[in-house]
Amino acid sequence: MYEAAKLLYSSVSNFARLASTLVHLGEYQAAVDSSRKANSTRTWKEVCSACVDGQEFRLAQLCGLHIVIHADELEELIRYYQDRGYFEDLISLLEAALGLERAHMGMFTELAILYSKFKPQKMPEHLELFWSRVNIPKVLRAAEQAHLWAELVFLYDKYEEYDNAVLTMINHPTDAWREGQFKDVIAKVANVELYYKALQFYLDYKPLLINDLLLVLAPRLDHTRTVGFFSKDAMQHAAESRDAELAEKLLQWFLEEGKRECFAASLFTCYDLLPPDVVLELAWRHNLVDLAMPYFIQVMREYLSKVDRLDASESLRKREEHVVEPAPLLFDFDGHD
């Protein structure tokens, strides 16, 4: 008997009960007006849910604005919309709520999470404006699950997790790497191993910018290790190039720079590109014969193996030449012996 109840509750100004009665009658606008007079969170929730079920989303939003300002009510309201698949309307509600005087961190955080799932194109601007008002760990998880790598780096940077920011840019350079941002963040990392990982990343991904990165990292690098890092890379490049002249020039450069260990290492990295006579001359001139001895032992072993194979081949050939062929049988067809 909703019509009768409507008259009774109106006469006694019981607006909370009146609002409940009006939604049963489908009078959603009047129910919202009564909720405003009742000014009760419970009434707002009841009318909001009824408006959502009746797909009266404009009115549902008016109710929702009075609910989302209560942090402990936010999760239930979000779940109500999401369970029914009304993501667009939920996003509109939270967007409208951001300007409220009582807007709180939960609203900014949940909107960021919704953007990551349903409107990723809105995520960057939202974070740029409100990163200080979101729960960064929660939004970080959402961004990672949505593979929003650039936004993930942005949040790691703001959260001062610089190591993770650098690793994300290295692992997802197409989406996440920005030159200025990378150089700014790499200077703040705690794990020094990331310096060398960054150098390798630039060699592979942006070799022409390696000098810019070195200018940033120079005060922080172990110079001996860095030289070794680049020497190893140079040796590998020379070996892969199959260019004997390049390998020989690299060997000479190591000697000119006094890098004895690099000289020894390159003898094996570029082993099949270096003429032994050149190596012997360089080793003798720089008093490095002892350092080069393992190389010469290997060369001698290969030469002796080749000589042994040649001797065996020559012996076999001579044996084949000295095999006496049997004389052919001759028959006298005239009857004479």
Side-chain angles (χ1 to χ4, degrees):
M1 301 174 67
Y2 295 122
E3 287 291 349
K6 172 182 173 183
L7 292 173
L8 289 171
Y9 289 135
S10 296
S11 65
V12 297
S13 300
N14 189 334
F15 299 111
R17 293 284 188 174
L18 177 59
S20 299
T21 303
L22 289 169
V23 294
H24 285 293
L25 292 169
E27 298 180 20
Y28 297 110
Q29 180 64 64
V32 171
D33 295 337
S34 293
S35 298
R36 190 174 287 110
K37 293 174 183 177
N39 197 24
S40 160
T41 301
R42 178 179 176 181
T43 303
W44 283 122
K45 288 171 63 177
E46 182 181 356
V47 176
C48 181
S49 299
C51 289
V52 170
D53 293 339
Q55 297 190 5
E56 293 285 347
F57 296 113
R58 183 185 65 81
L59 296 175
Q61 180 171 309
L62 291 174
C63 299
L65 293 174
H66 293 274
I67 301 170
V68 295
I69 56 176
H70 303 287
D72 54 342
E73 301 287 354
L74 180 60
E75 184 178 347
E76 182 182 346
L77 179 65
I78 289 174
R79 188 165 57 248
Y80 198 89
Y81 272 83
Q82 285 188 329
D83 288 348
R84 289 153 182 78
Y86 299 135
F87 306 110
E88 290 277 351
D89 303 288
L90 176 58
I91 288 173
S92 296
L93 167 57
L94 290 176
E95 286 175 339
L98 296 187
L100 297 175
E101 186 178 342
R102 295 176 61 185
H104 53 83
M105 178 178 285
M107 292 158 53
F108 292 94
T109 300
E110 294 300 332
L111 182 56
I113 293 172
L114 286 168
Y115 280 156
S116 73
K117 295 177 180 177
F118 306 111
K119 289 192 175 182
Q121 70 277 10
K122 287 196 169 188
M123 187 75 154
E125 183 183 4
H126 181 72
L127 293 179
E128 190 71 40
L129 292 173
F130 304 119
W131 67 267
S132 62
R133 303 192 68 176
V134 302
N135 182 325
I136 291 182
K138 286 186 70 173
V139 181
L140 274 171
R141 288 193 294 272
E144 186 171 17
Q145 289 171 1
H147 294 181
L148 299 177
W149 307 121
E151 289 76 9
L152 194 65
V153 169
F154 177 86
L155 290 168
Y156 277 138
D157 187 11
K158 296 301 183 184
Y159 203 47
E160 299 184 3
E161 288 195 9
Y162 304 118
D163 293 34
N164 284 332
V166 166
L167 286 171
T168 301
M169 283 190 270
I170 289 175
N171 293 331
H172 306 281
T174 303
D175 297 319
W177 179 83
R178 303 290 183 273
E179 182 184 3
Q181 185 182 31
F182 189 91
K183 290 191 294 186
D184 178 60
V185 174
I186 191 66
K188 302 174 186 176
V189 299
N191 183 0
V192 296
E193 292 301 316
L194 288 177
Y195 297 153
Y196 304 98
K197 196 174 184 71
L199 289 174
Q200 188 61 58
F201 166 67
Y202 264 61
L203 285 172
D204 296 338
Y205 186 68
K206 289 289 183 181
L208 298 180
L209 299 177
I210 191 72
N211 287 339
D212 295 337
L213 181 64
L214 283 171
L215 289 175
V216 175
L217 295 181
R220 301 169 178 83
L221 292 170
D222 178 326
H223 290 189
T224 301
R225 180 177 175 181
T226 304
V227 170
F229 173 87
F230 283 110
S231 296
K232 180 180 178 182
D233 186 76
M235 284 186 278
Q236 195 64 37
H237 174 74
E240 292 174 357
S241 72
R242 312 306 301 160
D243 186 335
E245 184 180 355
L246 177 62
E248 188 175 332
K249 286 181 178 178
L250 180 62
L251 201 66
Q252 291 174 339
W253 184 83
F254 284 146
L255 292 172
E256 291 168 4
E257 296 295 319
K259 302 186 185 307
R260 297 160 54 93
E261 293 78 9
C262 293
F263 169 81
S266 62
L267 293 180
F268 290 93
T269 305
C270 305
Y271 177 81
D272 54 344
L273 298 176
L274 297 170
D277 60 318
V278 172
V279 175
L280 180 60
E281 180 184 353
L282 290 173
W284 175 74
R285 286 170 53 193
H286 292 84
N287 297 319
L288 296 176
V289 174
D290 288 347
L291 205 60
M293 190 54 65
Y295 164 82
F296 289 120
I297 292 173
Q298 179 66 23
V299 169
M300 185 62 67
R301 181 179 294 118
E302 286 195 4
Y303 279 6
L304 289 175
S305 297
K306 290 178 181 178
V307 169
D308 289 343
R309 285 196 297 273
L310 286 172
D311 286 346
S313 177
E314 182 68 15
S315 298
L316 177 62
R317 186 184 65 80
K318 287 182 178 180
R319 284 199 302 271
E320 290 174 348
E321 288 179 352
H322 286 82
V323 172
V324 178
E325 295 183 4
L329 294 174
L330 299 176
F331 296 92
D332 186 351
F333 292 98
D334 294 331
H336 301 288
D337 290 337

